[in-house]
Amino acid sequence: MTAAPTPPRSRVLVAVGALLAALVLALLPLPPASTAAAAEGAEDSAVTQTGKKGKYDDFSDLKVTVHQTKGLRSQGVRVSWEGGAPTQPSVKFNVDYLQIMQCWGDGAAGPDREQCAFGAGTSEGAGAGRSVEAVKDPEEKEYTGQNAFVPFRPADGQPATTSLYDFTYFGPLDTNEQKAVRTFDNGTGEVEFELQDGNQANHLGCGENTAPAGNTPDPRHCWLVVVPRGTHEADGSEKTNPQSDALQTSPLSTTNWAQRIVFRLDFLPVDQFCPEGQPERAVPGSELADDAVASWGPKLCSSTGSTFVYNRASEESARNEVMGASEETPAMGVTVDPVVQPGDGPGVVHAPVAVTGLAVAFFIEGPSGVVQELRLTPRLVAKMLTHSYVRDVPLAVPTPEQVKGNPDFYTSDPEFRELNPRFPELVDEPRSLMVPLLNSDTTRVVWNWLQSDKEAREFLAGEADPWGMRVNSYFQDLSLAENGSLTDFPKADPTTAVPGGFAPEGATYSITDLDPYTADLHDGAVKTRRGNNGRTIQWDVGATPPRLTNDAPLPGRHAVMAIVDAASAVRYGLQTAALRNADGTFVKPAADTFQAAVSAMRTWPDHPDVLKADPARAKGQAYPLTAVAYAAASVNQGAKDREAYADFIRFAAGPGQTPGLSAGQLPPGYAPLPAKLRAQAETAADDLEKGVAQGEPTPGPGAQDPGGLVPGAGTGGTTSGAGAGGAAAAGGAGGGGTDPSAPESAASDGSAPPSSAPQQNVADAEQGYTPGDVLGIIRWVLLVVLFLGGAAGLAGPIMLRLAGRQTRTP
């Protein structure tokens, strides 16, 4: 049966509907191309609690939200609130603020006050730590008398603290308490709180198994406690002048403690999760892969039958273990630069397992809250790394000659101000850029970024910037401008100065007291989250023996910055700077900017199976401090060990590349491996298991196109045919301080730069699309279809009407 023709009026309505749908579709927003490295799904366990009317202050309008309460580990968690009384601006937070602490405790209603980690912060500013003596609380019945305080009782059954200054379990440098957080004029506030699991804080024991042996594991839950403070002391007296009068009573005093708002926190297990008796295999490796391997661990245990013991180590140390591997000492290492075996040594396979990078993370508080955006050029970072600002060297009088005439801080540098015009005036001085102590391949990437930039290179070589600032002369002769093999951050200035306080004659502090190294990249992230670089430049006459001590920043006056790994920056909720890449674009670390950088990388001249992190090739939306972590293993190992390590690689490059927060998934701060790198990892795993690691990559359809090749590994190699996308990504004019005539980079082994060596790069076309790209393509396809359909629908009735008119024309 033939369908009845659609009436012209219906056709018009359908056509108009199609055109309107096309218009709406065109206006729909797309996901951002560069997704922030945030923990997806964290908000699923958000909990909001309301305050209550107290004996003296009313907090019943206060609503506090903890944005993640399940699946927790040592990390940052966002706490926000509304309906609070604004904190009056002053040098110190005197009244109307919140105090936040982490506690342990098994009671259903929440912890006892003796179970809370609080009271080790600076003694200035907000209400006292654990003392309940300064102002008498009429409700306090348990701890009374002279020097009364609330002791801390640890979760592991160890003795309670014996004084206000007993820092046996936590102290000024490792406490995570938020002594005072500010509420703004609109009644809202927000802070990122550092949670600590049982590995980091066994006195809290969060995540430790509390079930009897043989029973199903029961990770210990913990608590986040928020104590709102108003304008009254625990005895009812009111602070009528918030500019000068500050609360003195502790949040642990009975009256104040009664106002607490309590949130249960469920932690991931921190105890050994692998079955006992499984063979253990060492995996020394780069810190860049640390968070990923930690996430994969539980699934690797169950799926491979092996327990892989990941030991965070320098890449050079990992390479040495790989070269020394044998049937008696099996090992697989994770590295960034390739393993270079002697000519007659056993073969080594390199399997890509993680794409990530470094970040310049910061926690800076201005008068209006936490600074969210920051732009940095290579030259600005070069100034920080060489301690070229006056106050980045010990404070000697007169100003030391090596920095004379330079700005006091980066915040007063005209270059910084020009680049960050909205950066606030800080109440306190900012602290130096923190850097890790250990040598690392990733440190070389940072120096290569600076060396690939004309402005930074000239500054490091001794030329003044346009405003007259020069490099600290102690750093000028270290070849920082051209040494492509640097793997450390030197602190070469020998200046010393007299510490603050009542220091004895002859007492001094040095540049490493003023600006201590961090233990590693992760430690840098933790110190940044705490807002304290750990410097010790004050003399503590009360210590036994007297010594240099930390001068912790006051609440609301933190200004710290560190070089960290991207995964740790996300884990602790840190802001990250946008860095200028090779063509002048400012880019933040994110999954798509990592992948854009990988697409422009070329392989090492003598290692076609390893991509070289090369900031000089990072252009467009490519992030300059991107790197690929490789699992490297020698074939000179027993068959069972080779098979086990091959299984590790297959999991890491397969299920381990699924982004997510669950065990076995790829945590935030990483980008999924591109398809070609996953294929390379599979081939490397096969070769390792077979005990072979030789051969050249097989040219693919794009072999004639320098932009269409990909790295290959093993006997099978890999093939590719990506076209000119990679060449386009690798090209482009220099800009933003990049010197187009300069070599793009210098290989750390002294070989020719990438532009003069026969190398390969992964084309953009092999990297896959971001969600925004895919939705964008779908949207425009649908848009065209709807538009054409609508136009065709209107065309029919219009033509019929025109034909009718022509027929009636005399």
Side-chain angles (χ1 to χ4, degrees):
M1 180 181 292
T2 303
T6 304
R9 182 178 298 276
S10 298
R11 291 178 185 171
V12 172
L13 292 175
V14 172
V16 170
L19 290 174
L20 288 174
L23 177 62
V24 171
L25 189 61
L27 295 176
L28 283 176
L30 287 176
S34 178
T35 55
E40 295 179 7
E43 300 276 330
D44 294 348
S45 60
V47 173
T48 300
Q49 305 268 25
T50 302
K52 51 193 172 185
K53 183 175 176 60
K55 188 175 181 180
Y56 305 116
D57 293 296
D58 186 0
F59 302 109
S60 57
D61 290 333
L62 179 66
K63 290 182 173 58
V64 180
T65 300
V66 177
H67 291 262
Q68 183 184 356
T69 60
K70 297 182 183 298
L72 299 165
R73 52 181 179 157
S74 289
Q75 64 174 83
V77 65
R78 187 161 66 101
V79 181
S80 64
W81 59 95
E82 61 182 28
T87 306
Q88 297 297 316
S90 64
V91 175
K92 304 173 183 178
F93 292 175
N94 292 332
V95 298
D96 293 321
Y97 50 79
L98 272 60
Q99 298 182 288
I100 310 177
M101 63 199 79
Q102 185 178 344
C103 314
W104 70 277
D106 301 323
D112 297 331
R113 51 188 176 157
E114 294 86 357
Q115 297 169 320
C116 293
F118 190 88
T122 172
S123 60
E124 295 186 65
R130 307 187 76 90
S131 172
V132 290
E133 178 200 18
V135 175
K136 302 302 181 183
D137 180 355
E139 301 295 327
E140 181 61 59
K141 308 298 183 185
E142 187 172 2
Y143 300 105
T144 59
Q146 189 175 8
N147 300 323
F149 73 100
V150 178
F152 173 76
R153 290 187 292 106
D156 56 6
Q158 295 298 310
T161 54
T162 58
S163 75
L164 283 172
Y165 304 105
D166 183 347
F167 298 146
T168 301
Y169 305 111
F170 55 94
L173 289 181
D174 59 5
T175 183
N176 63 348
E177 67 195 74
Q178 292 281 355
K179 186 173 182 181
V181 289
R182 178 180 178 182
T183 300
F184 292 97
D185 289 343
N186 61 359
T188 67
E190 184 173 312
V191 71
E192 194 83 15
F193 186 88
E194 178 209 344
L195 294 179
Q196 298 177 347
D197 65 20
N199 286 332
Q200 191 172 7
N202 57 12
H203 55 276
L204 294 172
C206 308
E208 292 179 351
N209 183 27
T210 59
N215 290 26
T216 302
D218 182 19
R220 171 180 279 127
H221 65 268
C222 280
W223 306 89
L224 193 73
V225 174
V226 179
V227 179
R229 305 299 299 272
T231 60
H232 291 85
E233 290 285 18
D235 64 355
S237 60
E238 185 172 12
K239 301 298 182 182
T240 57
N241 186 351
Q243 293 297 322
S244 59
D245 294 337
L247 296 174
Q248 298 297 316
T249 50
S250 168
L252 304 180
S253 185
T254 298
T255 297
N256 297 328
W257 183 248
Q259 299 301 117
R260 68 192 182 279
I261 306 171
V262 180
F263 299 83
R264 174 172 166 145
L265 305 174
D266 290 304
F267 279 75
L268 297 170
V270 299
D271 300 280
Q272 177 59 259
F273 41 72
C274 293
E276 292 185 8
Q278 284 194 162
E280 291 189 0
R281 291 180 169 85
V283 185
S286 170
E287 193 175 353
L288 287 189
D290 196 23
D291 267 31
V293 177
S295 175
W296 298 336
K299 295 297 183 181
L300 281 168
C301 279
S302 59
S303 65
T304 66
S306 295
T307 298
F308 295 99
V309 181
Y310 194 79
N311 299 316
R312 184 191 306 169
S314 71
E315 292 85 358
E316 185 63 23
S317 173
R319 286 191 289 270
N320 288 337
E321 292 202 39
V322 171
M323 287 191 288
S326 65
E327 292 197 17
E328 291 74 28
T329 56
M332 179 180 71
V334 178
T335 182
V336 174
D337 294 353
V339 176
V340 182
Q341 283 280 53
D344 58 349
V348 173
V349 300
H350 292 87
V353 293
V355 172
T356 183
L358 301 180
V360 178
F362 61 93
F363 174 32
I364 301 173
E365 294 177 300
S368 299
V370 176
V371 174
Q372 301 293 320
E373 300 293 334
L374 194 63
R375 287 185 166 195
L376 295 175
T377 63
R379 183 167 59 194
L380 279 170
V381 175
K383 294 175 179 180
M384 297 176 186
L385 292 179
T386 56
H387 295 262
S388 294
Y389 294 109
V390 172
R391 299 294 293 276
D392 279 356
V393 299
L395 185 58
V397 180
T399 300
E401 284 297 321
Q402 68 269 24
V403 291
K404 193 171 184 178
N406 290 351
D408 280 355
F409 307 103
Y410 66 83
T411 53
S412 55
D413 186 342
E415 180 180 7
F416 179 87
R417 282 291 174 183
E418 187 176 280
L419 195 62
N420 299 279
R422 297 182 180 178
F423 192 85
E425 293 291 340
L426 302 182
V427 177
D428 247 350
E429 61 185 50
R431 308 221 167 167
S432 305
L433 175 66
M434 292 182 279
V435 294
L437 174 63
L438 295 177
N439 288 26
S440 173
D441 294 352
T442 57
T443 301
R444 176 189 58 77
V445 177
V446 175
W447 286 115
N448 287 173
W449 174 52
L450 307 187
Q451 294 160 354
S452 68
D453 181 86
K454 182 175 182 291
E455 294 175 351
R457 197 166 58 246
E458 291 175 346
F459 180 83
L460 291 171
E463 293 187 28
D465 75 359
W467 300 272
M469 181 175 176
R470 292 185 180 274
V471 68
N472 182 327
S473 57
Y474 284 109
F475 291 80
Q476 188 171 334
D477 297 328
L478 299 182
S479 301
L480 302 179
E482 66 272 352
N483 184 354
S485 301
L486 286 168
T487 58
D488 69 325
F489 294 108
K491 293 183 181 291
D493 193 318
T495 305
T496 60
V498 177
F502 298 99
E505 184 177 354
T508 61
Y509 70 91
S510 68
I511 198 167
T512 53
D513 296 314
L514 175 69
D515 182 23
Y517 283 107
T518 61
D520 48 39
L521 298 170
H522 178 269
D523 181 52
V526 172
K527 284 184 167 62
T528 303
R529 179 71 282 149
R530 293 174 183 166
N532 188 352
N533 72 343
R535 73 183 190 185
T536 52
I537 64 171
Q538 295 290 324
W539 191 260
D540 185 359
V541 295
T544 305
R547 59 181 179 270
L548 290 170
T549 190
N550 176 242
D551 60 333
L554 294 175
R557 296 164 68 173
H558 301 96
V560 292
M561 189 184 304
I563 293 178
V564 307
D565 60 294
S568 292
V570 179
R571 179 173 176 172
Y572 289 99
L574 300 172
Q575 305 300 326
T576 55
L579 304 182
R580 193 176 71 189
N581 67 13
D583 65 358
T585 306
F586 287 90
V587 186
K588 285 189 174 185
D592 57 340
T593 62
F594 291 151
Q595 290 185 329
V598 171
S599 74
M601 290 179 183
R602 293 181 176 181
T603 58
W604 286 79
D606 299 325
H607 296 276
D609 51 357
V610 179
L611 289 170
K612 180 180 181 182
D614 190 353
R617 302 188 62 81
K619 300 176 181 179
Q621 287 301 308
Y623 182 68
L625 300 186
T626 300
V628 181
Y630 286 83
S634 169
V635 299
N636 186 33
Q637 304 184 73
K640 289 185 178 180
D641 294 309
R642 295 199 313 271
E643 180 182 357
Y645 286 132
D647 288 342
F648 178 105
I649 292 170
R650 292 187 184 104
F651 182 91
Q657 293 302 311
T658 302
L661 295 172
S662 300
Q665 295 184 320
L666 188 69
Y670 294 88
L673 285 174
K676 290 297 181 182
L677 293 188
R678 293 178 70 168
Q680 179 191 343
E682 289 284 349
T683 301
D686 293 343
D687 288 348
L688 177 61
E689 188 168 356
K690 290 182 289 187
V692 295
Q694 68 276 349
E696 296 297 328
T698 304
Q704 294 77 18
D705 179 358
L709 297 180
V710 298
T715 56
T718 55
T719 61
S720 164
T738 302
D739 181 5
S741 64
E744 290 184 336
S745 72
S748 64
D749 58 2
S751 61
S755 57
S756 61
Q759 298 167 321
Q760 303 164 319
N761 70 301
V762 181
D764 284 323
E766 303 299 340
Q767 306 308 304
Y769 296 96
T770 66
D773 294 334
V774 174
L775 289 178
I777 294 170
I778 295 172
R779 181 178 74 171
W780 289 111
V781 169
L782 289 175
L783 180 60
V784 170
V785 170
L786 288 170
F787 181 81
L788 292 176
L794 286 176
I798 291 172
M799 294 303 294
L800 288 173
R801 183 176 293 274
L802 290 175
R805 286 180 181 175
Q806 290 173 349
T807 302
R808 291 192 296 272
T809 301

